[in-house]
Amino acid sequence: MSTPTKRRLMKDLKDLERTKSRTVFAAPLQDDILTWCALIIGPKDTPFEDATFSMTMAFDESYPCTPPTCKFISKVYHPNIYANGDLCLDILTNRWSPTFNVMTILMSVQSMLNDPNVHSPANLEAANLFDNDKKCYVRRVRDCVEKSWYDLDNELEKNEAD
């Protein structure tokens, strides 16, 4: 059965496929249009460069009037990402607009990686390092980036075995 939400998500998927981005990818689960898996590549010329971070996006029937719930599966060391992967991003809370779509969300999350809001931190330690010890912050981020490669390799091996 088609609902306005499901039609909108199909439009978002077509728009995403049409853009052919090489830095953000997303698609719904085969049997659940309301649950998406996303992959975000770290922006060039940033400490996150070449990272491969996995994220889930859970939509409910009120989308696009309400934002999806987005959560990183990969570990990400960042001032606006909680240890459990939840994001602290204004467009997913108090600045949401029904005009936003999946691509808008993905690009905002990718942009947030190098432009954190340290005044509203989800990870206080990362925010303090970002403000007070940039070298240490970058080192922690680069460790996280290297782990993202390992996590992606393990996930690919697991899928090949299934």
Side-chain angles (χ1 to χ4, degrees), residues 2 26 32 43 48 50 90 93 103 116 119-120 132 140 147 158:
S2 183
D32 183 3
F48 292 94
D50 298 325
D90 59 355
T93 55
M103 179 58 96
H119 303 296
S120 179
N132 302 313
R140 295 285 302 269
K147 187 172 180 348
K158 181 181 154 194

Side-chain angles (χ1 to χ4, degrees), residues 24-58:
V24 294
F25 308 89
L29 297 180
Q30 187 172 11
D31 58 347
D32 183 3
I33 188 74
L34 297 177
T35 304
W36 291 44
C37 292
L39 184 70
I40 297 175
I41 307 297
K44 287 204 175 296
D45 301 322
T46 75
F48 292 94
E49 184 171 11
D50 298 325
T52 52
F53 296 123
S54 300
M55 185 176 79
T56 60
M57 303 173 80

Side-chain angles (χ1 to χ4, degrees), residues 29 37-39 52-56 72-75 146-162:
L29 297 180
C37 292
L39 184 70
T52 52
F53 296 123
S54 300
M55 185 176 79
T56 60
F72 276 100
I73 297 167
S74 307
K75 294 288 182 201
E146 289 177 21
K147 187 172 180 348
S148 80
W149 304 330
Y150 174 77
D151 291 346
L152 183 63
D153 285 343
N154 283 343
E155 194 62 34
L156 291 172
E157 286 175 12
K158 181 181 154 194
N159 287 341
E160 287 174 0
D162 289 343

Side-chain angles (χ1 to χ4, degrees), residues 5-130:
T5 294
K6 291 175 182 173
R7 286 192 296 276
R8 169 61 188 269
L9 286 169
M10 288 305 297
K11 180 186 180 311
D12 285 4
L13 179 60
K14 287 178 184 170
D15 290 347
L16 193 62
E17 290 170 346
R18 207 174 8 257
T19 63
K20 296 182 180 159
S21 171
R22 294 177 187 252
T23 61
V24 294
F25 308 89
L29 297 180
Q30 187 172 11
D31 58 347
D32 183 3
I33 188 74
L34 297 177
T35 304
W36 291 44
C37 292
L39 184 70
I40 297 175
I41 307 297
K44 287 204 175 296
D45 301 322
T46 75
F48 292 94
E49 184 171 11
D50 298 325
T52 52
F53 296 123
S54 300
M55 185 176 79
T56 60
M57 303 173 80
F59 300 86
D60 64 30
E61 286 292 341
S62 62
Y63 178 79
C65 293
T66 59
T69 301
C70 298
K71 184 174 187 158
F72 276 100
I73 297 167
S74 307
K75 294 288 182 201
V76 184
Y77 188 76
H78 189 276
N80 302 117
I81 301 172
Y82 291 95
N84 70 356
D86 288 344
L87 284 82
C88 181
L89 181 61
D90 59 355
I91 73 154
L92 294 175
T93 55
N94 60 333
R95 296 206 180 224
W96 176 254
S97 167
T99 62
F100 296 155
N101 60 21
V102 171
M103 179 58 96
T104 305
I105 296 165
L106 295 174
M107 297 306 291
S108 295
V109 171
Q110 186 182 49
S111 175
M112 173 198 74
L113 289 175
N114 198 49
D115 190 21
N117 179 358
V118 294
H119 303 296
S120 179
N123 180 333
L124 193 54
E125 177 191 55
N128 286 334
L129 283 178
F130 183 86

